[in-house]
Amino acid sequence: MGNFLAGKVIAVTGAGRGIGRAVALACAEQGARVIVNDYGVAIDGGGPSSEVAEAVVKEIEAAGKTASAVADDVSTMAGGQRIVDTALAQYGRIDGVVCVAGILRERMLFNMSEEEWDPVIATHLKGTFTVFRAASAVMRRQGSGTLLGFTSGNHQGSVSQANYASAKGGVISLVRSAALGLHKYGVTANAVAPVARTRMSANVPMELTEIGEPEDVAALVVYLLSDRAREITGQVYTVAGPKIAVWAQPRELRSVHADGGGWTPERVAEALPGSVGADPMPMLARVAEMAAAADAGARPNV
Ligand SMILES: NC(=O)c1ccc[n+]([C@@H]2O[C@H](COP(=O)([O-])OP(=O)(O)OC[C@H]3O[C@@H](n4cnc5c(N)ncnc54)[C@H](O)[C@@H]3O)[C@@H](O)[C@H]2O)c1
């Protein structure tokens, strides 16, 4: 038992299973009162049930700690608001929100339907917005608070999960926007890209070589929620078992300026290749290798 989060109130979405559950348990263990949110759905988002959130609350209470369940859908404004309102009603404040809830609907882009695109964006990206929106209004008045989004290494792009990769890229931009917009109110925002053994990672079509347990992710999340991390904002951290890595901030790599008269396609064609060029895409190099392994019936290594 530690005291990284003594006196704090933390809400965790998707906290009924996998990484969210480990985060909720670790927050309680470290002294926080916890709002356990989970819509209790299948991996594709179907078949909601309130039981999974309640089961984690019982686990926390059995350990002598304090938690409340909210079984709402984070992709609705009312759901995000209820999570924050429950924290205020039960415990009088909200110090941190951790948006872990997620689903998968895998399909190649050229076959992807609206029913596969919309719920994935709604759960990951809007489901982070709804909670950040409600929490940030309270944290701004409080003059403190931590917003944590969950992204993925897949924000770099994905062969068969364009919906998921787009949502995860969006989460990073949302986190950076929150970091910029709330800095002067003492509120921080960061993103975590985990790799951990859960039902979701068991579903990916490749062998993950760098992987750990949900508890590894929970340790990083507890630290980021604590006062020890008050200066950290606008960051994206990968945690994969024993490895923690920070991602670079996006920045321009090389540039060229049109001298007089502006750009025409002809001038771009002359200037761009030799000066600005292109930045090699690391994921592209892996695609052929992965396709060959899949054709041979193996789960390619990543
Ligand atoms: N496991 C990994 O290796 C990995 C890798 C990259 C990113 N992630 C991300 O980490 C997060 C957690 O993943 P996990 O592996 O623990 O998945 P998981 O499937 O084990 O748990 C996700 C939980 O979210 C809940 N949920 C889904 N939709 C919801 C909604 N609309 N409202 C509230 N709850 C909802 C589910 O009921 C489930 O309990 C996800 O955002 C995922 O994209 C995981």
Side-chain angles (χ1 to χ4, degrees):
M1 152 93 195
N3 65 352
F4 264 74
L5 303 177
K8 292 192 189 291
V9 178
I10 307 292
V12 186
T13 77
R17 296 191 188 88
I19 294 168
R21 174 179 164 276
V23 167
L25 294 174
C27 288
E29 162 78 14
Q30 293 289 330
R33 288 158 291 169
V34 182
I35 301 297
V36 175
N37 161 256
D38 204 295
Y39 196 34
V41 287
I43 200 157
D44 71 351
S49 143
S50 58
E51 282 164 27
V52 285
E54 283 155 14
V56 172
V57 167
K58 287 201 182 96
E59 266 187 271
I60 291 173
E61 287 174 345
K65 313 289 180 194
T66 309
S68 302
V70 177
D72 281 54
D73 176 358
V74 291
S75 71
T76 65
M77 294 304 282
Q81 191 65 52
R82 185 137 38 236
I83 290 165
V84 173
D85 287 350
T86 304
L88 297 179
Q90 298 282 320
Y91 310 120
R93 55 186 296 116
I94 182 85
D95 299 288
V97 293
V98 190
C99 296
V100 189
I103 62 170
L104 283 182
R105 293 192 183 185
E106 188 162 294
R107 189 79 62 198
M108 295 301 285
L109 176 60
F110 39 81
N111 289 326
M112 188 173 285
S113 68
E114 194 175 5
E115 291 68 36
E116 287 159 342
W117 175 268
D118 283 350
V120 171
I121 302 292
T123 305
H124 292 273
L125 182 53
K126 186 176 174 191
T128 303
F129 162 70
T130 65
V131 178
F132 276 21
R133 163 70 181 83
S136 63
V138 180
M139 291 172 175
R140 177 180 170 223
R141 288 196 297 274
Q142 250 172 214
S144 67
T146 306
L147 307 169
L148 291 182
F150 263 63
T151 183
S152 160
N154 264 7
H155 77 267
Q156 298 172 94
S158 164
V159 171
S160 58
Q161 298 176 328
N163 48 0
Y164 180 82
S166 303
K168 292 308 200 185
V171 166
I172 293 177
S173 295
L174 173 58
V175 158
R176 291 208 170 106
S177 301
L180 293 174
L182 291 153
H183 183 65
K184 71 173 178 178
Y185 303 109
V187 178
T188 61
N190 294 290
V192 173
V195 191
R197 285 182 197 90
T198 67
R199 68 172 187 174
M200 192 183 278
S201 59
N203 246 276
V204 298
M206 67 277 280
E207 207 63 61
L208 299 161
T209 47
E210 276 190 315
I211 189 164
E213 301 304 324
E215 288 70 24
D216 300 314
V217 183
L220 172 66
V221 168
V222 164
Y223 167 71
L224 290 173
L225 289 167
S226 77
D227 292 339
R228 303 263 290 266
R230 282 214 57 76
E231 303 304 316
I232 299 177
T233 196
Q235 304 302 309
V236 181
Y237 291 107
T238 281
V239 51
K243 181 181 91 172
I244 291 178
V246 67
W247 288 79
Q249 298 288 335
R251 48 175 65 88
E252 291 175 357
L253 205 54
R254 289 178 289 274
S255 62
V256 63
H257 288 78
D259 38 44
W263 290 111
T264 63
E266 186 55 37
R267 287 193 194 126
V268 173
E270 276 166 20
L272 187 140
S275 51
V276 175
D279 189 24
M281 192 182 181
M283 295 290 280
L284 201 53
R286 291 198 195 148
V287 168
E289 188 191 320
M290 285 165 57
D295 285 348
R299 277 161 64 94
N301 287 335
V302 181

Short mmCIF file of all heavy atoms in Angstrom, two decimals, residues 179-224:
data_model
loop_
_atom_site.label_atom_id
_atom_site.label_comp_id
_atom_site.label_asym_id
_atom_site.label_seq_id
_atom_site.Cartn_x
_atom_site.Cartn_y
_atom_site.Cartn_z
N ALA A 179 -3.83 20.15 -22.89
CA ALA A 179 -2.61 20.61 -22.20
C ALA A 179 -2.41 22.11 -22.44
O ALA A 179 -2.08 22.86 -21.51
CB ALA A 179 -1.40 19.82 -22.68
N LEU A 180 -2.61 22.55 -23.68
CA LEU A 180 -2.42 23.97 -24.01
C LEU A 180 -3.50 24.84 -23.38
O LEU A 180 -3.22 25.89 -22.80
CB LEU A 180 -2.46 24.15 -25.54
CG LEU A 180 -1.30 23.53 -26.33
CD1 LEU A 180 -1.55 23.67 -27.83
CD2 LEU A 180 0.02 24.20 -25.95
N GLY A 181 -4.75 24.39 -23.49
CA GLY A 181 -5.87 25.22 -23.06
C GLY A 181 -6.04 25.32 -21.56
O GLY A 181 -6.63 26.28 -21.06
N LEU A 182 -5.53 24.33 -20.83
CA LEU A 182 -5.77 24.29 -19.38
C LEU A 182 -4.51 24.55 -18.55
O LEU A 182 -4.56 24.54 -17.32
CB LEU A 182 -6.41 22.95 -18.99
CG LEU A 182 -7.85 22.85 -19.52
CD1 LEU A 182 -8.26 21.41 -19.76
CD2 LEU A 182 -8.82 23.53 -18.58
N HIS A 183 -3.39 24.79 -19.24
CA HIS A 183 -2.12 25.00 -18.54
C HIS A 183 -2.23 26.12 -17.50
O HIS A 183 -1.79 25.98 -16.36
CB HIS A 183 -1.03 25.32 -19.56
CG HIS A 183 0.33 25.49 -18.96
ND1 HIS A 183 0.99 24.44 -18.35
CD2 HIS A 183 1.14 26.57 -18.87
CE1 HIS A 183 2.16 24.88 -17.91
NE2 HIS A 183 2.27 26.16 -18.21
N LYS A 184 -2.87 27.22 -17.89
CA LYS A 184 -2.90 28.37 -16.97
C LYS A 184 -3.82 28.15 -15.78
O LYS A 184 -3.82 28.93 -14.83
CB LYS A 184 -3.26 29.66 -17.71
CG LYS A 184 -4.68 29.78 -18.18
CD LYS A 184 -4.88 31.20 -18.74
CE LYS A 184 -6.28 31.36 -19.27
NZ LYS A 184 -6.55 32.68 -19.77
N TYR A 185 -4.61 27.07 -15.82
CA TYR A 185 -5.48 26.74 -14.68
C TYR A 185 -4.87 25.65 -13.79
O TYR A 185 -5.55 25.12 -12.91
CB TYR A 185 -6.85 26.29 -15.17
CG TYR A 185 -7.53 27.33 -16.04
CD1 TYR A 185 -7.68 27.14 -17.40
CD2 TYR A 185 -7.99 28.53 -15.48
CE1 TYR A 185 -8.28 28.10 -18.20
CE2 TYR A 185 -8.58 29.50 -16.28
CZ TYR A 185 -8.72 29.28 -17.64
OH TYR A 185 -9.31 30.23 -18.43
N GLY A 186 -3.64 25.25 -14.08
CA GLY A 186 -2.99 24.24 -13.24
C GLY A 186 -3.42 22.81 -13.54
O GLY A 186 -3.24 21.91 -12.71
N VAL A 187 -4.02 22.62 -14.73
CA VAL A 187 -4.51 21.28 -15.10
C VAL A 187 -3.57 20.69 -16.16
O VAL A 187 -3.21 21.37 -17.12
CB VAL A 187 -5.95 21.37 -15.66
CG1 VAL A 187 -6.46 20.00 -16.10
CG2 VAL A 187 -6.88 21.99 -14.61
N THR A 188 -3.18 19.42 -15.99
CA THR A 188 -2.29 18.77 -16.95
C THR A 188 -3.06 17.74 -17.78
O THR A 188 -4.11 17.26 -17.36
CB THR A 188 -1.12 18.06 -16.24
OG1 THR A 188 -1.66 17.05 -15.37
CG2 THR A 188 -0.28 19.03 -15.43
N ALA A 189 -2.51 17.42 -18.96
CA ALA A 189 -3.13 16.40 -19.83
C ALA A 189 -2.03 15.62 -20.52
O ALA A 189 -1.10 16.20 -21.10
CB ALA A 189 -4.03 17.07 -20.87
N ASN A 190 -2.11 14.30 -20.45
CA ASN A 190 -1.12 13.43 -21.08
C ASN A 190 -1.81 12.21 -21.66
O ASN A 190 -2.97 11.93 -21.35
CB ASN A 190 -0.07 12.99 -20.04
CG ASN A 190 0.76 14.16 -19.54
OD1 ASN A 190 1.57 14.72 -20.28
ND2 ASN A 190 0.53 14.58 -18.30
N ALA A 191 -1.08 11.48 -22.52
CA ALA A 191 -1.64 10.26 -23.13
C ALA A 191 -0.71 9.09 -22.85
O ALA A 191 0.51 9.24 -22.79
CB ALA A 191 -1.80 10.45 -24.63
N VAL A 192 -1.33 7.92 -22.72
CA VAL A 192 -0.59 6.68 -22.49
C VAL A 192 -0.91 5.72 -23.64
O VAL A 192 -2.06 5.52 -23.99
CB VAL A 192 -1.00 6.04 -21.14
CG1 VAL A 192 -0.37 4.65 -20.98
CG2 VAL A 192 -0.61 6.95 -19.98
N ALA A 193 0.15 5.16 -24.22
CA ALA A 193 0.01 4.13 -25.26
C ALA A 193 0.48 2.81 -24.65
O ALA A 193 1.69 2.59 -24.55
CB ALA A 193 0.85 4.49 -26.48
N PRO A 194 -0.44 1.95 -24.22
CA PRO A 194 -0.02 0.73 -23.51
C PRO A 194 0.19 -0.44 -24.47
O PRO A 194 -0.33 -0.43 -25.59
CB PRO A 194 -1.24 0.44 -22.63
CG PRO A 194 -2.40 0.87 -23.49
CD PRO A 194 -1.91 2.05 -24.30
N VAL A 195 0.95 -1.42 -24.03
CA VAL A 195 0.93 -2.74 -24.67
C VAL A 195 0.87 -3.74 -23.52
O VAL A 195 1.83 -3.88 -22.76
CB VAL A 195 2.18 -3.00 -25.53
CG1 VAL A 195 1.97 -4.26 -26.37
CG2 VAL A 195 2.52 -1.82 -26.44
N ALA A 196 -0.29 -4.38 -23.35
CA ALA A 196 -0.48 -5.26 -22.19
C ALA A 196 -1.41 -6.41 -22.54
O ALA A 196 -2.27 -6.27 -23.42
CB ALA A 196 -1.06 -4.45 -21.02
N ARG A 197 -1.25 -7.52 -21.84
CA ARG A 197 -2.05 -8.72 -22.11
C ARG A 197 -3.48 -8.54 -21.60
O ARG A 197 -3.70 -8.48 -20.39
CB ARG A 197 -1.43 -9.95 -21.45
CG ARG A 197 -0.21 -10.43 -22.18
CD ARG A 197 0.41 -11.68 -21.57
NE ARG A 197 1.76 -11.80 -22.10
CZ ARG A 197 2.84 -11.27 -21.52
NH1 ARG A 197 2.73 -10.64 -20.37
NH2 ARG A 197 4.02 -11.40 -22.09
N THR A 198 -4.43 -8.39 -22.54
CA THR A 198 -5.85 -8.27 -22.22
C THR A 198 -6.63 -8.99 -23.32
O THR A 198 -6.03 -9.45 -24.29
CB THR A 198 -6.30 -6.80 -22.21
OG1 THR A 198 -6.20 -6.30 -23.56
CG2 THR A 198 -5.46 -5.93 -21.28
N ARG A 199 -7.95 -8.99 -23.21
CA ARG A 199 -8.73 -9.62 -24.30
C ARG A 199 -8.54 -8.85 -25.60
O ARG A 199 -8.63 -9.41 -26.68
CB ARG A 199 -10.21 -9.68 -23.92
CG ARG A 199 -10.89 -8.33 -23.83
CD ARG A 199 -12.39 -8.43 -23.63
NE ARG A 199 -12.98 -7.09 -23.72
CZ ARG A 199 -14.27 -6.83 -23.70
NH1 ARG A 199 -15.13 -7.83 -23.57
NH2 ARG A 199 -14.73 -5.61 -23.79
N MET A 200 -8.26 -7.51 -25.49
CA MET A 200 -8.08 -6.72 -26.72
C MET A 200 -6.78 -7.08 -27.42
O MET A 200 -6.76 -7.30 -28.63
CB MET A 200 -8.14 -5.22 -26.41
CG MET A 200 -8.24 -4.38 -27.66
SD MET A 200 -8.21 -2.60 -27.36
CE MET A 200 -9.91 -2.28 -26.91
N SER A 201 -5.67 -7.15 -26.67
CA SER A 201 -4.39 -7.46 -27.32
C SER A 201 -4.38 -8.91 -27.83
O SER A 201 -3.68 -9.22 -28.80
CB SER A 201 -3.21 -7.19 -26.39
OG SER A 201 -3.31 -7.96 -25.21
N ALA A 202 -5.17 -9.78 -27.20
CA ALA A 202 -5.25 -11.17 -27.68
C ALA A 202 -5.91 -11.22 -29.05
O ALA A 202 -5.77 -12.20 -29.78
CB ALA A 202 -6.05 -12.02 -26.69
N ASN A 203 -6.61 -10.15 -29.43
CA ASN A 203 -7.35 -10.10 -30.68
C ASN A 203 -6.58 -9.53 -31.85
O ASN A 203 -7.08 -9.54 -32.96
CB ASN A 203 -8.60 -9.22 -30.47
CG ASN A 203 -9.86 -10.04 -30.57
OD1 ASN A 203 -10.34 -10.26 -31.66
ND2 ASN A 203 -10.34 -10.50 -29.44
N VAL A 204 -5.38 -8.95 -31.60
CA VAL A 204 -4.68 -8.33 -32.73
C VAL A 204 -4.02 -9.42 -33.57
O VAL A 204 -3.59 -10.45 -33.04
CB VAL A 204 -3.62 -7.26 -32.28
CG1 VAL A 204 -4.29 -6.12 -31.56
CG2 VAL A 204 -2.52 -7.88 -31.46
N PRO A 205 -3.93 -9.19 -34.89
CA PRO A 205 -3.50 -10.27 -35.79
C PRO A 205 -1.99 -10.42 -35.89
O PRO A 205 -1.49 -10.90 -36.89
CB PRO A 205 -4.11 -9.84 -37.13
CG PRO A 205 -4.15 -8.35 -37.06
CD PRO A 205 -4.35 -8.00 -35.63
N MET A 206 -1.25 -9.95 -34.87
CA MET A 206 0.20 -10.13 -34.91
C MET A 206 0.72 -10.50 -33.52
O MET A 206 0.03 -10.31 -32.52
CB MET A 206 0.90 -8.87 -35.46
CG MET A 206 0.83 -7.66 -34.58
SD MET A 206 -0.65 -6.69 -34.72
CE MET A 206 -0.36 -5.75 -36.17
N GLU A 207 1.94 -11.01 -33.47
CA GLU A 207 2.57 -11.38 -32.20
C GLU A 207 3.25 -10.14 -31.64
O GLU A 207 4.12 -9.56 -32.28
CB GLU A 207 3.61 -12.47 -32.48
CG GLU A 207 3.87 -13.39 -31.32
CD GLU A 207 2.64 -14.19 -30.92
OE1 GLU A 207 2.13 -14.96 -31.74
OE2 GLU A 207 2.22 -14.02 -29.77
N LEU A 208 2.83 -9.70 -30.44
CA LEU A 208 3.44 -8.51 -29.85
C LEU A 208 4.67 -8.94 -29.06
O LEU A 208 4.55 -9.69 -28.09
CB LEU A 208 2.43 -7.80 -28.94
CG LEU A 208 1.16 -7.31 -29.66
CD1 LEU A 208 0.03 -7.04 -28.67
CD2 LEU A 208 1.44 -6.07 -30.49
N THR A 209 5.85 -8.51 -29.51
CA THR A 209 7.08 -8.99 -28.87
C THR A 209 7.39 -8.20 -27.60
O THR A 209 7.96 -8.73 -26.66
CB THR A 209 8.28 -8.89 -29.84
OG1 THR A 209 8.26 -7.61 -30.45
CG2 THR A 209 8.19 -9.96 -30.91
N GLU A 210 7.04 -6.90 -27.59
CA GLU A 210 7.22 -6.09 -26.37
C GLU A 210 5.86 -5.93 -25.73
O GLU A 210 5.04 -5.14 -26.19
CB GLU A 210 7.76 -4.70 -26.74
CG GLU A 210 9.25 -4.66 -26.92
CD GLU A 210 9.76 -3.22 -27.04
OE1 GLU A 210 9.15 -2.44 -27.76
OE2 GLU A 210 10.77 -2.91 -26.39
N ILE A 211 5.59 -6.69 -24.68
CA ILE A 211 4.28 -6.63 -24.04
C ILE A 211 4.44 -6.91 -22.56
O ILE A 211 5.40 -7.58 -22.14
CB ILE A 211 3.30 -7.64 -24.71
CG1 ILE A 211 1.87 -7.44 -24.19
CG2 ILE A 211 3.76 -9.07 -24.56
CD1 ILE A 211 0.80 -8.09 -25.03
N GLY A 212 3.54 -6.36 -21.75
CA GLY A 212 3.58 -6.60 -20.31
C GLY A 212 2.20 -6.83 -19.78
O GLY A 212 1.29 -7.24 -20.52
N GLU A 213 2.01 -6.55 -18.50
CA GLU A 213 0.74 -6.78 -17.84
C GLU A 213 0.02 -5.45 -17.59
O GLU A 213 0.67 -4.40 -17.53
CB GLU A 213 0.99 -7.48 -16.49
CG GLU A 213 1.70 -8.81 -16.60
CD GLU A 213 0.98 -9.79 -17.53
OE1 GLU A 213 -0.27 -9.80 -17.54
OE2 GLU A 213 1.67 -10.54 -18.25
N PRO A 214 -1.30 -5.48 -17.43
CA PRO A 214 -2.04 -4.26 -17.12
C PRO A 214 -1.47 -3.52 -15.89
O PRO A 214 -1.52 -2.29 -15.83
CB PRO A 214 -3.46 -4.77 -16.85
CG PRO A 214 -3.57 -6.00 -17.70
CD PRO A 214 -2.21 -6.63 -17.65
N GLU A 215 -0.89 -4.26 -14.94
CA GLU A 215 -0.34 -3.63 -13.72
C GLU A 215 0.85 -2.72 -14.05
O GLU A 215 1.09 -1.74 -13.34
CB GLU A 215 0.08 -4.71 -12.71
CG GLU A 215 -1.08 -5.43 -12.04
CD GLU A 215 -1.86 -6.37 -12.96
OE1 GLU A 215 -1.28 -6.84 -13.99
OE2 GLU A 215 -3.05 -6.62 -12.68
N ASP A 216 1.62 -3.05 -15.11
CA ASP A 216 2.72 -2.17 -15.52
C ASP A 216 2.17 -0.82 -15.97
O ASP A 216 2.73 0.24 -15.68
CB ASP A 216 3.51 -2.78 -16.70
CG ASP A 216 4.12 -4.12 -16.35
OD1 ASP A 216 4.72 -4.23 -15.27
OD2 ASP A 216 4.01 -5.06 -17.17
N VAL A 217 1.05 -0.87 -16.71
CA VAL A 217 0.42 0.36 -17.20
C VAL A 217 -0.13 1.16 -16.01
O VAL A 217 0.02 2.39 -15.93
CB VAL A 217 -0.72 0.02 -18.19
CG1 VAL A 217 -1.33 1.30 -18.76
CG2 VAL A 217 -0.23 -0.90 -19.30
N ALA A 218 -0.73 0.43 -15.07
CA ALA A 218 -1.34 1.09 -13.90
C ALA A 218 -0.29 1.87 -13.10
O ALA A 218 -0.57 2.97 -12.60
CB ALA A 218 -2.03 0.06 -13.02
N ALA A 219 0.92 1.33 -13.00
CA ALA A 219 1.98 2.02 -12.23
C ALA A 219 2.31 3.37 -12.86
O ALA A 219 2.45 4.39 -12.16
CB ALA A 219 3.22 1.14 -12.15
N LEU A 220 2.43 3.41 -14.19
CA LEU A 220 2.70 4.68 -14.88
C LEU A 220 1.53 5.65 -14.69
O LEU A 220 1.74 6.84 -14.43
CB LEU A 220 2.93 4.41 -16.39
CG LEU A 220 3.03 5.67 -17.26
CD1 LEU A 220 4.28 6.50 -16.92
CD2 LEU A 220 3.03 5.31 -18.75
N VAL A 221 0.31 5.14 -14.80
CA VAL A 221 -0.87 6.00 -14.66
C VAL A 221 -0.93 6.61 -13.26
O VAL A 221 -1.18 7.81 -13.10
CB VAL A 221 -2.16 5.21 -14.99
CG1 VAL A 221 -3.40 6.00 -14.58
CG2 VAL A 221 -2.20 4.87 -16.48
N VAL A 222 -0.68 5.80 -12.23
CA VAL A 222 -0.69 6.32 -10.85
C VAL A 222 0.34 7.44 -10.71
O VAL A 222 0.04 8.50 -10.15
CB VAL A 222 -0.41 5.18 -9.84
CG1 VAL A 222 -0.04 5.76 -8.47
CG2 VAL A 222 -1.61 4.26 -9.73
N TYR A 223 1.52 7.23 -11.25
CA TYR A 223 2.55 8.28 -11.17
C TYR A 223 2.07 9.56 -11.86
O TYR A 223 2.18 10.66 -11.31
CB TYR A 223 3.86 7.79 -11.80
CG TYR A 223 4.84 8.91 -12.03
CD1 TYR A 223 5.48 9.52 -10.96
CD2 TYR A 223 5.08 9.39 -13.33
CE1 TYR A 223 6.35 10.58 -11.16
CE2 TYR A 223 5.95 10.44 -13.54
CZ TYR A 223 6.58 11.05 -12.46
OH TYR A 223 7.42 12.10 -12.67
N LEU A 224 1.51 9.42 -13.08
CA LEU A 224 1.08 10.61 -13.83
C LEU A 224 -0.06 11.35 -13.12
O LEU A 224 -0.22 12.55 -13.28
CB LEU A 224 0.67 10.22 -15.25
CG LEU A 224 1.82 9.77 -16.18
CD1 LEU A 224 1.26 9.24 -17.50
CD2 LEU A 224 2.79 10.92 -16.44
#
